[in-house]
Amino acid sequence: MTTVEVRHHAMRIGGRDVDTSERHPILDPNDGSVAATVSIGGIEHVDAAVAAAKETFESGVWSAIPPQERALVMRRIAAAARAVADELIELELSANGATIRQATGFHIGYALAHFEYFADLAESYEWQRAAPISTFPALSQSVVHREPIGVVGAIAPFNFPLLLALWKVGPALAAGNSVVVKPDERTPLSMLEFARIAERAGLPPGVLNVVTGTGQVAGAHLAGHPDIGKIAFTGSTQVGREIMRLASGTVKQVTLELGGKGPTIVLDDADLDMAVDGVLFGCFVYSGQVCVSGTRALVPARLHDQFVERLVARAKTIVLGDTRDFDTDMGPVIGANQQARILEYVRDAESSGATIELGGHQPEGERFERGFWVSPTILSGVRDDMPIAREEVFGPVLVVIAYDDDDEAVAIANDSEYGLAASIWSTDNARALAIAARIQSGNVWINDAHQINCQVPFGGYKQSGLGRELGPNALDGYTEVKTVQLDLSAGRTAKPFGILLGHAD
């Protein structure tokens, strides 16, 4: 019997590989096998990484060079990563269960393109802005400067390990900061490799550090570390609240991209064939493990039965299988605990009166006895007060909710603690735009889903987050604002001081 060697990955701190005696197995969700092992970092490793980042920042080797030079290095990094994209794709899908199509296009393709966008911002960003000359209370000229914060902490989730890490690393580096990344302990492989690629391409050692470890230990310590000036986090709303609490101890800047329960509103004038495909795409991409997944389909009551029938028929054509097969449409979920959690939501909904129209179980067949699989699941008869309609399931589960008119559709869509993304399907652009204006969500797509454009801001309303990532102002959250004022009064006493000294004239 052939033994497959399992590669071990150390942390990257201060330009060196740092290992520990404690190792964590990375499981391939496709079949449950051990794909790799990684070091488990603790508090001392976070401290070492922050210290390395702080020393590098203060040295000026990255923070003090012109933004144009940072842009050049970042472009070299992107080119070097693109040259080994196949390796990054394999690292990604072996840890998080993405299909090879998804890993190629979304997980790695988007990540490198977006990193290049941040490099472009380093050149175009308004680092200094002169204010109008002031004549009161004294003749003066003010200049507003944007400067790097210092050391930035980035905590990335399991679902898009490299992409969502680079949404933080990219603007942080472009602004001149040093960074400490804490990936999800289940999916750190692509970020670890990216850090090594970055150093080989010219990023000074210590500017980008990666500490692998648990969220409860390494993540929590990073969020509260006194030498971290900014923490950026993507993950659940529950953990996001804890990140805010930990960050408040040193009043550091915080960006949070949190959960969602995306509504997909199908209007009665929609092209039903297009809407069916759009609803399924919006929900089942990456097995529903996307914060912007459209997991609530709001359908006109008079079209409900017909639409559900179409959804089920089309969803039956979704191909489950080996994640490395280009014919596979949908892969597994991240792990056994998540698989059990998803199926428990479905059982609870069924016991509360919902009807399982499709799925609701582990797929049948020997192929699916290994790994962490959940069939595409569609539920009808779902009430808006059911947990499955209100809580983020994070799996391939679509609930269909009937509504009577546009006002009710908007009310149901907004009746959520979340407000990250929504979709509207209609052949009447004016009507769809009018409804979009009423939706409490940071992102609203009309006749589309999952369209993440790096040139526009991304983020959520309500408990879906705080701040925005991407867009032309992406560097704002990774800079401090300093106003420098130069007195132009040529030595004349300024009026406020004259008043203070009793000789205002």
Side-chain angles (χ1 to χ4, degrees), residues 80-98:
R82 191 165 280 114
V84 294
D86 287 347
E87 180 182 350
L88 292 172
I89 290 166
E90 175 59 28
L91 291 173
E92 197 91 335
L93 61 87
S94 68
N96 74 352

Side-chain angles (χ1 to χ4, degrees), residues 55-143:
E55 180 181 359
T56 306
F57 177 79
E58 292 177 348
S59 76
V61 67
W62 181 254
S63 58
I65 67 174
Q68 294 78 7
E69 291 186 24
R70 293 199 292 265
L72 287 173
V73 175
M74 290 177 68
R75 291 193 186 101
R76 287 203 300 269
I77 294 169
R82 191 165 280 114
V84 294
D86 287 347
E87 180 182 350
L88 292 172
I89 290 166
E90 175 59 28
L91 291 173
E92 197 91 335
L93 61 87
S94 68
N96 74 352
T99 67
I100 191 167
R101 294 204 317 254
Q102 293 163 6
T104 300
F106 291 163
H107 293 71
I108 302 303
Y110 264 25
L112 301 184
H114 290 186
F115 192 75
E116 289 174 320
Y117 174 74
F118 296 128
D120 292 342
L121 286 185
E123 291 184 323
S124 63
Y125 192 66
E126 191 175 43
W127 297 102
Q128 296 182 9
R129 176 177 60 83
I133 291 177
S134 175
T135 58
F136 182 85
L139 186 66
S140 63
Q141 171 72 67
S142 295
V143 177

Side-chain angles (χ1 to χ4, degrees), residues 161-240:
L162 187 60
L163 174 66
L164 296 182
L166 294 190
W167 280 13
K168 300 150 185 57
V169 171
L173 293 181
N177 298 286
S178 293
V179 188
V180 178
V181 182
K182 208 298 285 184
D184 189 288
E185 58 268 29
R186 295 165 291 185
T187 58
L189 304 183
S190 55
M191 187 62 232
L192 283 166
E193 186 59 27
F194 185 87
R196 295 182 174 93
I197 292 169
E199 289 177 12
R200 292 195 297 268
L203 188 69
V207 173
L208 177 58
N209 308 272
V210 183
V211 177
T212 51
T214 66
Q216 295 92 329
V217 177
H221 190 59
L222 184 65
H225 201 290
D227 289 332
I228 293 286
K230 160 70 182 273
I231 192 80
F233 169 79
T234 297
S236 72
T237 296
Q238 179 181 1
V239 176

